[in-house]
């Protein structure tokens, strides 16, 4: 029992030792057992297989550790002894041949039955291949990172170039073209960058500018070079269909190889990157990048950048086209024969040359001011504000005619029209036009006056026809009946009756003659041919004789009150003066059918003679007073009292021909008074 118990542990130990050796001898990992002093107690057969016969079995294990790693390994060994905790570490082995191998090891402690550290177990493996792979990977990674950094820097630089070009003033296309092509050549490090215009019928392209990177300027000899579609059909087809042509080897690319003898070889061009330039929905040109010398593999980022440069060219075309259009519009606006101005908040911001001429101001002086001073009245300016802006807010055009003021105070008629730039936001301003319509207004007034005159003439004609048919009928009837009596009863009539008939014929003829004379006088006056021949005359004698004529012819119920003039000799046209006084005295008698007193007198002063004729007749209705001196006009209360309606018109014209004036006062049914003032002429 005892013998068996003692042999069993020993047997188990040997079995475990055999198993240990079996495992360690067949493992690829290196197994080494060290004592607490660091001396090897055991090395597995793999040790020699991997590292060779490095040293004597009793040699210190650190002898073949790389000198640069020995202190670190020794420190780790001491920490394991002190702490009882194993550690993982890497180090290098140095062979006699000088070869260095990388090792990775894991240490752990072996304790005795009392728990004290007896040995240190080290399991190591050769990681040289792994380290080599890691180093290669690290180098590759560093190279990749370097490339990424370079690519990122290139993209950042290209982005900065595009940002700078975006802020470039592109209104001058040729200047902008040089800047854009130069920026593209620098950013892509390409020797030749050019822009070619495509003909409208797509039959050819013409070089507008070729920028040489090495010179830093365009090549003047390249401008104007023309390539025909019929000579390079594959190239034109590729550009017009694909829009972007990437030729890493332009001499073999199907679309560009036709350029080899005449273009690629002479200029040592190897690679090409061509991008179509679009403008307003059409391809208008080609942006061409040409790599000189070595071949070039165009990256996607470079292709994108080239496309962005083509977009910049399109923006330059748009900006220059807009600038040209704006210049043309500015020239048109500046030379317009209609005043044009821009207003914001009713204040002028800009005006063209015509506005200066129209209102006589310096447009720079008027900037920021309202147009109130240009209106003839403040009410007109206020009316525009009330009426115009509600219409502008609806997108409507406001158009009115106003009397305006020039800077020198002269007035003129102007048609103003306004339209909002944005009806939804009137703060953006409105465009106003101003046109001098004074001549048109004058012509319209002349036309209206002519039409009114024609209307008046028509009325006069109607009145004349009516008057002649009425006034001439009576004397003509008298003449006709009298002649018939004389023709048929001449022998039977007594001599006295025949004399009365002849007198009636003479009276009728005189009446008609007088009417014809009045019509002729009015005709001459209207034609501006009324004769005026003032001569010295005895005024008192003239008035006395005239009054005596009317006394003899007046009816018996008419009395006369006469105040003779105190002045004797005056200078007047006696014929026209007779028209004036005869017509007034005749009317005073005629329109006093119930009789009464007719007053006639003349008062002289230093400057004029004032004639006064007053009756006690039917008077004149108030509504007829404004028209009293119009030809053929007769008051509404004359009834069947005969008259032509020409007498007072002749009076008015005769007075005016003397440079005088006529006034009238009348009370309906009571009396009428005429005051005629005639300036004294030099005798």
């Amino acid at each position: 029992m005892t013998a068996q118990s003692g042999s069993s542990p020993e047997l188990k130990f040997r079995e475990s030792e055999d198993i240990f050796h079996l495992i360690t001898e067949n493992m690829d990992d290196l197994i080494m057992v060290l004592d607490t002093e660091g001396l090897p107690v055991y090395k597995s057969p793999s040790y020699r297989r991997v590292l060779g016969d490095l040293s004597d079995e009793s040699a210190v294990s650190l002898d073949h550790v790389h000198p640069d790693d020995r202190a670190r390994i020794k420190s780790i060994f001491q920490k394991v002894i002190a702490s009882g905790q194993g550690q993982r570490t890497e180090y290098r082995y140095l062979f006699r041949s000088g070869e260095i191998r990388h090792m990775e090891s894991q240490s752990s402690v072996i304790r005795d039955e009392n728990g004290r550290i007896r040995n240190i177990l080290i399991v190591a493996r050769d990681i040289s291949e792994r380290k080599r792979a890691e180093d290669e990977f690290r180098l590759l990674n560093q190279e990749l990172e370097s490339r990424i950094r370079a690519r990122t820097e290139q993209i950042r630089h290209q982005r900065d170039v595009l940002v700078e070009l975006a802020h470039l003033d592109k209104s001058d296309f040729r200047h902008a073209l040089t800047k854009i092509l130069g920026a593209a050549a620098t950013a892509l490090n390409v020797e030749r960058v050019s822009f070619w215009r495509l003909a409208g019928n797509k039959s050819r392209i013409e070089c507008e500018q070729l920028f040489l990177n090495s010179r830093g300027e365009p090549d003047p000899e390249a401008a104007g070079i023309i390539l025909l579609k019929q000579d390079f059909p594959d190239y034109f087809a590729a550009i017009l269909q694909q829009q972007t042509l990437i030729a890493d080897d332009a001499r073999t690319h199907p679309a560009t190889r036709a350029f080899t003898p005449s273009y690629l070889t002479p200029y040592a061009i190897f690679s090409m990157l061509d991008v179509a330039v679009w403008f307003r929905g059409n391809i208008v040109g080609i942006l061409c990048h040409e790599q000189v010398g070595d071949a070039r593999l165009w990256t996607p980022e470079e292709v994108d950048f080239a496309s962005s440069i083509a977009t910049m060219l399109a923006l330059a075309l748009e900006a220059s086209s807009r600038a040209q259009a704006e210049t043309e519009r500015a020239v048109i606006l500046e030379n317009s024969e209609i005043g044009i101005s821009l207003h914001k908040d009713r204040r002028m911001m800009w005006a063209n040359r015509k506005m200066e001429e129209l209102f006589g101001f310096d447009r720079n002086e008027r900037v920021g001011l309202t147009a109130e001073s240009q209106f003839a009245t403040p009410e007109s300016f206020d009316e525009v504000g009330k009426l115009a802006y509600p219409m502008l807010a609806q997108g409507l055009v406001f158009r009115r005619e106003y009397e305006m003021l020039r800077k020198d105070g002269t007035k003129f008629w102007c048609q103003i029209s306004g339209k909002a730039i944005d009806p939804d936001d009137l703060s953006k301003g409105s465009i106003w036009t101003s046109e001098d319509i004074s001549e048109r207004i004058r012509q319209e007034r002349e036309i209206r006056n002519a039409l009114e005159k024609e209307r008046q003439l028509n009325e006069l004609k109607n009145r004349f026809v009516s008057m002649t048919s009425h006034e001439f009928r009576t004397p003509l009837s008298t003449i006709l009946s009298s002649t018939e009596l004389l023709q048929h009863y001449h022998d039977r009539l007594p001599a006295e009756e025949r004399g009365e008939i002849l007198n009636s014929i003479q009276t009728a003829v005189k009446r008609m003659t007088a009417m014809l004379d009045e019509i002729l006088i009015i005709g001459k006056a209207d034609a501006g041919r009324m004769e005026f021949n003032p001569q010295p005359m005895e005024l008192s004698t003239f008035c006395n004789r005239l009054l005596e004529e009317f006394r003899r012819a007046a009816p018996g119920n008419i009395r006369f009150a006469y105040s003779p003039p105190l002045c004797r000799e005056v200078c007047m046209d006696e014929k026209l003066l007779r028209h004036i006084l005869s017509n007034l005295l005749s009317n005073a008698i005629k329109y006093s059918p119930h009789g009464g007193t007719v007053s006639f007198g003349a008062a002289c002063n230093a400057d004029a003679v004032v004639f006064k004729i007053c009756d006690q007749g039917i008077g004149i209705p108030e509504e007829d007073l404004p028209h009293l001196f119009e030809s053929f006009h007769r008051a509404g209360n004359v009834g069947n009292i005969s008259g032509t309606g020409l007498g007072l018109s002749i009076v008015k014209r005769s007075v005016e021909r003397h440079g005088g004036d006529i006034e009238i006062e009348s009370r309906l049914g009571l009396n009428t008074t005429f005051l005629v003032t005639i300036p004294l002429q030099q005798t």
Side-chain angles (χ1 to χ4, degrees), residues 504-576:
S504 65
I505 293 174
Q506 290 176 349
T507 301
V509 170
K510 288 179 180 179
R511 182 178 175 184
M512 291 180 62
T513 302
M515 286 189 292
L516 289 174
D517 286 342
E518 288 180 343
I519 293 171
L520 291 174
I521 291 171
I522 290 296
K524 287 182 178 180
D526 289 340
R529 294 186 292 107
M530 177 180 276
E531 296 179 359
F532 179 61
N533 185 26
Q535 297 291 331
M537 59 180 289
E538 290 285 340
L539 184 60
S540 58
T541 303
F542 174 82
C543 290
N544 292 336
R545 189 184 308 120
L546 182 65
L547 181 63
E548 188 61 29
E549 293 176 5
F550 276 91
R551 273 180 175 159
R552 288 196 301 267
N557 61 351
I558 296 296
R559 299 180 301 276
F560 288 92
Y562 177 52
S563 299
L566 298 180
C567 51
R568 294 178 61 82
E569 189 173 274
V570 295
C571 187
M572 297 182 184
D573 187 314
E574 184 175 340
K575 184 177 180 181
L576 295 183

Side-chain angles (χ1 to χ4, degrees), residues 371-525:
E372 184 173 5
S373 63
Q374 296 165 225
F375 283 81
T377 63
E379 292 76 15
S380 298
F381 178 74
D382 294 339
E383 181 181 276
V384 172
K386 292 176 182 178
L387 300 181
Y389 286 89
M391 293 179 64
L392 301 187
Q394 300 176 50
L396 303 176
V397 176
F398 174 81
R399 184 176 289 109
R400 290 288 190 282
E401 296 174 359
Y402 291 99
E403 196 171 24
M404 309 294 279
L405 284 177
R406 292 190 173 91
K407 188 176 181 180
D408 61 6
T410 58
K411 295 181 179 180
F412 70 102
W413 279 96
C414 183
Q415 178 176 278
I416 63 172
S417 301
K419 193 175 191 306
I421 294 175
D422 183 356
D424 296 328
D425 185 3
L426 293 183
S427 65
K428 293 181 180 179
S430 53
I431 303 298
W432 291 82
T433 62
S434 302
E435 184 178 3
D436 187 348
I437 58 171
S438 301
E439 181 61 22
R440 192 192 80 193
I441 294 293
R442 185 190 64 79
Q443 293 176 355
E444 288 177 353
R445 285 177 176 173
E446 288 182 354
I447 292 173
R448 284 196 296 269
N449 291 336
L451 291 174
E452 178 62 22
K453 196 168 185 179
E454 183 179 356
R455 184 187 65 79
Q456 293 175 357
L457 289 174
N458 286 331
E459 289 183 359
L460 289 175
K461 181 183 69 174
N462 293 333
R463 290 180 189 176
F464 175 76
V465 171
S466 176
M467 182 273 297
T468 53
S469 64
H470 180 270
E471 295 297 326
F472 277 64
R473 183 180 292 113
T474 300
L476 285 173
S477 297
T478 300
I479 294 171
L480 180 61
S481 62
S482 298
T483 55
E484 286 178 349
L485 284 172
L486 291 174
Q487 181 181 4
H488 297 290
Y489 304 104
H490 178 271
D491 296 335
R492 301 178 190 178
L493 294 174
E496 183 179 351
E497 192 171 345
R498 288 198 303 270
E500 290 177 358
I501 293 173
L502 290 173
N503 286 335
S504 65
I505 293 174
Q506 290 176 349
T507 301
V509 170
K510 288 179 180 179
R511 182 178 175 184
M512 291 180 62
T513 302
M515 286 189 292
L516 289 174
D517 286 342
E518 288 180 343
I519 293 171
L520 291 174
I521 291 171
I522 290 296
K524 287 182 178 180

Side-chain angles (χ1 to χ4, degrees), residues 345-362:
D345 297 328
R346 303 203 73 183
R347 298 179 183 274
M348 193 189 79
M349 298 291 106
W350 176 86
N352 68 345
R353 175 188 55 81
K354 188 61 178 181
M355 285 290 288
E356 287 186 321
E357 296 178 2
L358 202 57
F359 289 93
F361 60 68
D362 183 340

Side-chain angles (χ1 to χ4, degrees), residues 580-581 584 587 599 601 605 608-615 620 625-626 628-629 648 651-656 659-667 671-679:
I580 295 170
L581 298 178
L584 293 177
N587 285 347
S599 300
N605 57 42
V609 178
V610 179
F611 298 94
K612 181 177 181 180
I613 295 94
C614 182
D615 64 41
I620 303 171
L625 290 175
L628 201 59
F629 298 107
L648 289 180
V651 169
K652 177 73 170 176
R653 286 164 169 75
S654 298
V655 171
E656 290 175 345
D661 187 33
I662 184 170
E663 299 178 26
I664 182 172
E665 294 180 3
S666 183
R667 291 183 295 174
N671 55 45
T672 299
T673 300
F674 285 92
L675 293 174
V676 176
T677 303
I678 297 180

Side-chain angles (χ1 to χ4, degrees), residues 227-444:
L227 301 178
L228 299 177
K229 180 179 181 180
Q230 62 187 27
D231 297 332
F232 307 98
D234 295 333
Y235 176 78
F236 276 80
I239 284 294
L240 296 177
Q241 293 175 9
Q242 300 176 9
Q243 303 169 17
T244 299
L245 175 61
I246 304 171
D248 297 329
D249 185 353
R251 302 179 186 187
T252 61
H253 193 284
T256 57
R257 60 190 175 193
F259 293 124
T260 301
S262 61
Y263 188 71
L264 301 180
T265 300
Y267 293 104
I269 298 170
F270 200 102
S271 302
M272 294 176 65
L273 172 59
D274 291 3
V275 183
V277 178
W278 287 77
F279 179 62
R280 297 178 180 176
N282 295 303
I283 298 177
V284 297
I286 300 168
L287 172 66
C288 183
H289 306 79
E290 298 167 344
Q291 175 72 17
V292 173
D294 299 332
R296 176 147 181 181
L297 299 177
W298 303 100
T299 65
E301 293 81 8
E302 289 171 338
V303 174
D304 290 342
F305 178 75
S307 298
S308 299
I309 292 295
T311 301
M312 289 297 170
L313 287 177
L315 293 175
L317 288 169
E318 180 67 38
S320 62
S321 176
R322 189 183 303 114
Q324 182 179 358
E326 289 175 355
T327 300
E328 292 174 352
R329 284 195 296 269
V331 171
I332 293 172
L333 291 175
E334 192 64 19
N335 292 279
S336 172
E337 287 305 310
I338 296 178
I340 303 173
S341 57
L342 168 65
H343 292 253
K344 291 184 179 181
D345 297 328
R346 303 203 73 183
R347 298 179 183 274
M348 193 189 79
M349 298 291 106
W350 176 86
N352 68 345
R353 175 188 55 81
K354 188 61 178 181
M355 285 290 288
E356 287 186 321
E357 296 178 2
L358 202 57
F359 289 93
F361 60 68
D362 183 340
R363 54 184 145 178
N364 296 322
E365 295 176 357
R366 298 294 305 170
V367 171
L369 302 179
T370 68
E372 184 173 5
S373 63
Q374 296 165 225
F375 283 81
T377 63
E379 292 76 15
S380 298
F381 178 74
D382 294 339
E383 181 181 276
V384 172
K386 292 176 182 178
L387 300 181
Y389 286 89
M391 293 179 64
L392 301 187
Q394 300 176 50
L396 303 176
V397 176
F398 174 81
R399 184 176 289 109
R400 290 288 190 282
E401 296 174 359
Y402 291 99
E403 196 171 24
M404 309 294 279
L405 284 177
R406 292 190 173 91
K407 188 176 181 180
D408 61 6
T410 58
K411 295 181 179 180
F412 70 102
W413 279 96
C414 183
Q415 178 176 278
I416 63 172
S417 301
K419 193 175 191 306
I421 294 175
D422 183 356
D424 296 328
D425 185 3
L426 293 183
S427 65
K428 293 181 180 179
S430 53
I431 303 298
W432 291 82
T433 62
S434 302
E435 184 178 3
D436 187 348
I437 58 171
S438 301
E439 181 61 22
R440 192 192 80 193
I441 294 293
R442 185 190 64 79
Q443 293 176 355
E444 288 177 353

